Amino acid sequence: MTLIKSPRASGRGIKRKNGSTNGYGAAEKKAYAIREEALGTSKHVRIVGIGAGASGINLIRTLRKNLVNYEHVVYDKNAGVGGTWFENRYPGCRCDVPSHNYQFAWRPNHEWSNFFATAEEIGGYLERICRDEDMMGVIKLRHRVNGAWWDERRGLWDLSVQNLETGEEFRDHANFLINAAGILNNWKWPDIPDIKSFQGDLIHTASWPKGFDYANKTVAVIGNGASGIQLVPTIQPDVKKLYHFVRTPTWIIPPRRVTMMLMGGPASKVISEVEFDEKENFSAAQIERFKSDPVFYHKFITAIERDIGGVFDLWLNGSQAQTNVHPRVVKFMTDSLGGNERLCKELIPDYPLGCRRVTPGPGYLEALRAPNTTVVTEGIARVVPEGIQLESGEIIKVDAIICATGFDNSFAPPFPVVGRHGNVQDLMKAGTPSGYMSLALAGVPNYFTFFGPNAPIGHGSVFTLSEHVARYVTRAILKCQTEGIKSLAPTSAAVADYAAHVAALMPRTAWSAPCKSWFKKDGREDGPVTALHPGSRFHFFQMLERFRGEDWEYAYDGYDDDDDGNGNGKNPTGNRFYYLGNGFATKELDPEANPTWYLDGEDADRL
């Protein structure tokens, strides 16, 4: 497929045939004219979102609540909404964040069936929101963005979009492009020679085939990340033989509910008041109490949130918390493995707790002791038609190979995004991925990402994270709408300073310890940490409370906003204060606004 590239201005101070420049400088001063509109008037903008998972869905609502005079479309390659919870439906798939905190604050679900919701239940929750909030008119399913190119003069993104049902490719444009596809979206096969030569069932957990029957088969599961840890105990009782391939051991912690009670944290007391069965399903009476007792429900979710968010000290090297917890986890794993000397040696890590993602795995370690399970830690040489050949030359014959091997975490988008300095795909792969507070990139104007480099993806519920990011992004768009800004991007200096802070803080944490982890660039043992925020969950939230305007560079609506570039735009001089308008304010002219807001109670004290 050939994509048509749009013309793109190359930089600042571009000379026009009328002798003036693009607003960063001027060879010829034009007369300034007042904008005949009130301060606060919003210009029209078109916003294109990519991805209808949790972040994309929440953004629809945030824009609706805060903006006027805009249009919004969301493209998603899938046949349904939900993102990762639409795609990941392997047996045993569920979230490892407590269900009542893995939801939007504005849409509480009191009827979660289990302390940890299944993929189907989370997917249903997101589907109901889209239906109840009338969002499907904004979302275009089975549409994939194939490329995006920034046009400097027009201040627009030119997009190539493909309808995956018809194959038709068409052009679109946007003032703002928001990538909400997420970090766990672009799954990949493991880098094993000849993997496609296998003649049995070759499956990735992120693309589980409907109807696949693993019962009474000899199955290999490659990978012991979160997906593998959930899959193994789910299928082990039904398969004939299970070979579990483990390259790097990982920390398996006791069930979250148990640890919350044992550690005596904020949630310990309220957890003891909740009725569960042995599988952590809520009783009918408990669900009814969640619905009928708002005081208890609020106490429950806030205590869980404080517990989840208050663990940053556990990841600090040499901290008291890490010193106390480490031997307890070792004991738990040893007991769960039945004291089996070989399994304990192969599966209990020798790196610090937290270097890789710490995962609760009910039944996982026990499944590894089952008579029909063999744990394989020897390296894989290649895949052969009948199974897997080890480095020793031994061939393990299997009926199915299931790859629980994760995603492309390079932060390179799966399509070209061409900004002022070239293709983001190339820039992300060339060095250590870096961005501005995980949500914007230097030299890529009017482009925002959910969970870019050094986002807090391992810091609890992404639902709450996405709400904070959405508010920040929406404030930035509102600023552009009401202050005459055509484009904005974080400065290279700001991004470099932020990256320097990240690099200086990460060595304090277990995340930087020597181990292979997707937290690090290319998963390298000695790679820089690129997938985690340099601080706590609460630290990230507080960081995003204020928009630091000094970290951004702006191009203002100006003389070249017309179609021909002849200087006939509404703001001939590109004056940054053009937005101040004719002396009136929208708050005094809008009959539904309150022109004396500054006299009202809390508003009078708000910063």
Side-chain angles (χ1 to χ4, degrees), residues 473-499:
V473 170
T474 300
R475 285 195 294 267
I477 295 174
L478 179 62
K479 179 180 179 69
C480 293
Q481 273 193 297
T482 57
E483 296 182 18
I485 297 170
K486 180 165 65 174
S487 67
L488 80 174
T491 66
S492 296
V495 171
D497 284 351
Y498 187 74

Side-chain angles (χ1 to χ4, degrees), residues 189-247:
W189 294 112
D191 186 18
I192 299 174
D194 304 322
I195 190 168
K196 295 298 181 67
S197 70
F198 182 58
Q199 293 181 352
D201 294 300
L202 180 64
I203 296 168
H204 196 286
T205 50
S207 184
W208 192 269
K210 289 184 179 179
F212 172 66
D213 184 10
Y214 49 82
N216 300 312
K217 291 183 177 180
T218 299
V219 176
V221 175
I222 302 174
N224 63 331
S227 300
I229 289 168
Q230 291 180 342
L231 177 69
V232 163
T234 305
I235 68 172
Q236 175 268 319
D238 299 317
V239 300
K240 178 181 178 181
K241 178 67 178 178
L242 175 63
Y243 292 96
H244 186 34
F245 289 79
V246 174
R247 182 182 63 176

Side-chain angles (χ1 to χ4, degrees), residues 245 376 378-382 388-396:
F245 289 79
V376 182
E378 183 180 341
I380 297 174
R382 63 181 51 81
I388 296 173
Q389 183 177 347
L390 303 181
E391 290 177 345
S392 64
E394 178 188 355
I395 293 177
I396 297 177

